[in-house]
Amino acid sequence: AQGLMASIDEVARRARVSKQTIYNRYGSKTELIRAMIVRRVRASLSPLQNVAPEAPVQDTLTAWARTMLQLVVYGHPLKILRVTIQAAGQMPDLAQMVFEYGPMASRRALADYLESQVALGRLEMDDAMEAAEFYAGMVVTSRQIAALMGLDPVGTEEMLQRVSEESARRFVRAYAPTKPASH
């Protein structure tokens, strides 16, 4: 309700715990926010974790896209991003932390997955981090901007699934190996 400017007293009151409980667990308001962001990013990474080597790349990327759309465009992280943008001028260090532990952590995990697929000969690219940025942009950019502005970014569940599938299909086609995989 009050964004990043909320006091620890207010956070403690709303959480129905003492202020000291928050400090004992997190140490500072910044660490509380970092922990919240890390938890959200972990949820967004579930499609990339424990992926069987034989799982189709397109299916994994579709699942990642759908999760990102649900979390980043429709979920609580959108609220975090809104208040971070609003507070960035007064709290640049906090904005940097949100960026590093949020979007950048997600992109690094996606890049790691892409590198694993390059190693298996299933994708071909020179820079996995750049490719991860391209893919994330395909999936969330305009939709996230619309959501930040209070507009309906995707619409129906069917549209959300179609966007996830189509972005994965196009990405896999763009980075398909020029020679067949040796498996």
Side-chain angles (χ1 to χ4, degrees):
Q2 295 177 12
L4 301 176
M5 303 303 240
S7 69
I8 289 293
D9 289 323
E10 180 63 17
V11 172
R13 185 185 70 73
R14 290 189 127 196
R16 296 186 177 133
V17 299
S18 73
K19 182 175 166 180
Q20 191 58 48
T21 298
I22 293 173
Y23 282 117
N24 287 345
R25 176 147 176 140
Y26 299 103
S28 69
K29 181 178 173 181
T30 300
E31 284 303 306
L32 170 65
I33 294 166
R34 186 191 65 74
M36 184 174 59
I37 292 164
V38 166
R39 187 178 71 214
R40 300 289 183 207
V41 168
R42 281 189 189 130
S44 75
L45 300 180
S46 62
L48 303 177
Q49 297 168 338
N50 303 316
V51 177
E54 67 278 357
V57 176
Q58 188 169 326
D59 292 354
T60 301
L61 292 177
T62 297
W64 184 86
R66 186 166 177 89
T67 299
M68 288 304 293
L69 286 170
Q70 290 170 326
L71 289 173
V72 174
V73 176
Y74 292 115
H76 188 67
L78 178 67
K79 294 173 188 170
I80 295 169
L81 185 56
R82 272 191 189 132
V83 296
T84 301
I85 291 168
Q86 289 172 343
Q90 296 92 9
M91 305 170 85
D93 292 344
L94 187 60
Q96 181 67 40
M97 183 203 60
V98 168
F99 182 71
E100 286 298 320
Y101 284 95
M104 290 312 297
S106 177
R107 300 308 182 273
R108 282 189 292 275
L110 179 57
D112 290 346
Y113 169 75
L114 295 174
E115 284 177 349
S116 75
Q117 297 307 298
V118 168
L120 292 171
R122 300 171 89 193
L123 294 173
E124 190 175 285
M125 62 191 64
D126 294 328
D127 185 338
M129 188 62 176
E130 182 178 71
E133 286 288 343
F134 290 158
Y135 187 59
M138 286 172 62
V139 174
V140 300
T141 302
S142 65
R143 292 159 194 89
Q144 188 176 51
I145 291 169
L148 285 168
M149 297 173 80
L151 306 172
D152 186 11
V154 175
T156 66
E157 281 294 314
E158 294 80 23
M159 180 93 165
L160 187 116
Q161 185 63 29
R162 188 186 67 70
V163 165
S164 299
E165 290 172 356
E166 185 63 17
S167 60
R169 186 186 68 73
R170 289 175 186 246
F171 183 86
V172 169
R173 186 173 67 199
Y175 288 100
T178 53
K179 55 187 173 207
S182 59
H183 299 95

